[in-house]
Amino acid sequence: MEFRFIWYVWLQIYGSYQQNILPEHKRRHCNALQTLDIMEHAMPEIRSILQEESNKARRQYEEIVSFLRGSILLTCEAGWVYHDGNCYLISHKRSNWHSAMVVCQSMNAYLAEIRNDKENRFLKTELQKVTKEIEQRWNWNCFLGGTYLDTEGEWIWNNTGTPLGFTDWSQGNPDNRATKEHCMVMIEKFGFQWGHLSCQLKRPYICKTSVQYKLYP
């Protein structure tokens, strides 16, 4: 009696397996075979589409190269940033004002002269990017090309010898009574508005030069 009961239970389980598990397994197997069959038939078309897209991209590239050939390109050296026909180098190295001027000149550039609000805002944005990337640092008071002439009693741009014109002095500046603070800086704690320090202090600096023009080969 016990044997019959076990046999009955086994038949019930096996029957359930056949009705539920095996059909599901067969269904999945069939689906897999169908998918493989579809992929096998689709692969030639997929390869054809990819090849056509590759050829299209190559043709577009060749058209661009052909269009640019003989054209004049505007370029800045690596590490310099472009803005409105000029290239700027924000040096992370500290130097006194006169040494910074010499370094800029060695690269066919000069300590930056800011001519308008657009250029001023651009440099502020670039300085903010730089200071965010530096973890251990001092206050970034970057030298510009402005200098004070004691004899004339005015601030000028050193490279051109012209009066400032546009200005963005921080509150209380320029204080022309401050002795020996004759070199212009952009001051971080004042949102990179302008101030002035002793020319002998070592600070970062900004070089500026005209953009280079090159013929596309």
Side-chain angles (χ1 to χ4, degrees):
M1 188 72 175
E2 182 178 351
F3 175 77
R4 291 181 179 177
F5 176 75
I6 293 173
W7 177 254
Y8 174 78
V9 171
W10 184 86
L11 287 175
Q12 293 297 319
I13 294 174
Y14 180 73
S16 176
Y17 176 81
Q18 285 186 315
Q19 293 177 6
N20 300 312
I21 298 177
L22 283 180
E24 176 63 19
H25 174 72
K26 289 179 180 180
R27 184 182 66 79
R28 293 179 180 177
H29 182 67
C30 289
N31 287 342
L33 289 176
Q34 289 175 358
T35 301
L36 289 174
D37 187 57
I38 292 171
M39 289 298 296
E40 184 177 355
H41 286 83
M43 281 306 297
E45 185 174 352
I46 292 174
R47 291 193 188 97
S48 176
I49 293 172
L50 291 175
Q51 185 63 45
E52 178 60 29
E53 289 298 318
S54 176
N55 292 338
K56 182 179 178 181
R58 186 180 296 107
R59 288 193 299 270
Q60 289 176 340
Y61 171 77
E62 291 172 351
E63 288 174 1
I64 292 172
V65 170
S66 177
F67 175 78
L68 288 176
R69 187 164 287 119
S71 299
I72 296 177
L73 301 180
L74 309 181
T75 62
C76 292
E77 295 293 337
W80 295 65
V81 290
Y82 172 82
H83 173 73
D84 199 21
N86 294 296
C87 301
Y88 301 83
L89 175 68
I90 300 175
S91 175
H92 292 207
K93 295 180 180 179
R94 289 184 289 179
S95 179
N96 65 54
W97 190 85
H98 292 93
S99 295
M101 179 177 62
V102 172
V103 172
C104 291
Q105 289 174 347
S106 71
M107 297 183 287
N108 196 31
Y110 52 92
L111 281 174
E113 301 180 354
I114 301 178
R115 297 298 184 174
N116 52 58
D117 180 61
K118 182 180 178 182
E119 183 179 17
N120 193 52
R121 285 186 284 109
F122 166 76
L123 287 176
K124 284 183 178 182
T125 300
E126 291 301 312
L127 286 172
Q128 288 165 0
K129 292 178 184 177
V130 170
T131 54
K132 286 180 180 179
E133 296 172 356
I134 299 174
E135 295 180 359
Q136 296 180 352
R137 59 185 176 80
W138 59 97
N139 285 335
W140 267 63
N141 302 324
C142 282
F143 279 130
L144 296 175
T147 185
Y148 179 69
L149 296 179
D150 261 332
T151 54
E152 302 296 331
E154 67 175 336
W155 285 85
I156 65 167
W157 293 119
N158 180 71
N159 183 62
T160 56
T162 57
L164 299 185
F166 169 81
T167 62
D168 186 28
W169 294 107
S170 57
Q171 187 174 1
N173 285 308
D175 181 5
N176 294 336
R177 295 171 299 176
T179 59
K180 298 183 179 180
E181 292 187 357
H182 293 174
C183 289
M184 185 185 295
V185 288
M186 297 181 80
I187 303 176
E188 181 186 8
K189 71 176 182 178
F190 295 142
F192 293 111
Q193 285 188 289
W194 303 358
H196 50 94
L197 295 175
S198 167
C199 301
Q200 300 307 314
L201 293 176
K202 292 186 176 182
R203 293 292 184 270
Y205 53 92
I206 305 174
C207 297
K208 175 182 177 180
T209 189
S210 298
V211 69
Q212 298 179 25
Y213 296 87
K214 294 183 179 180
L215 282 178
Y216 192 87

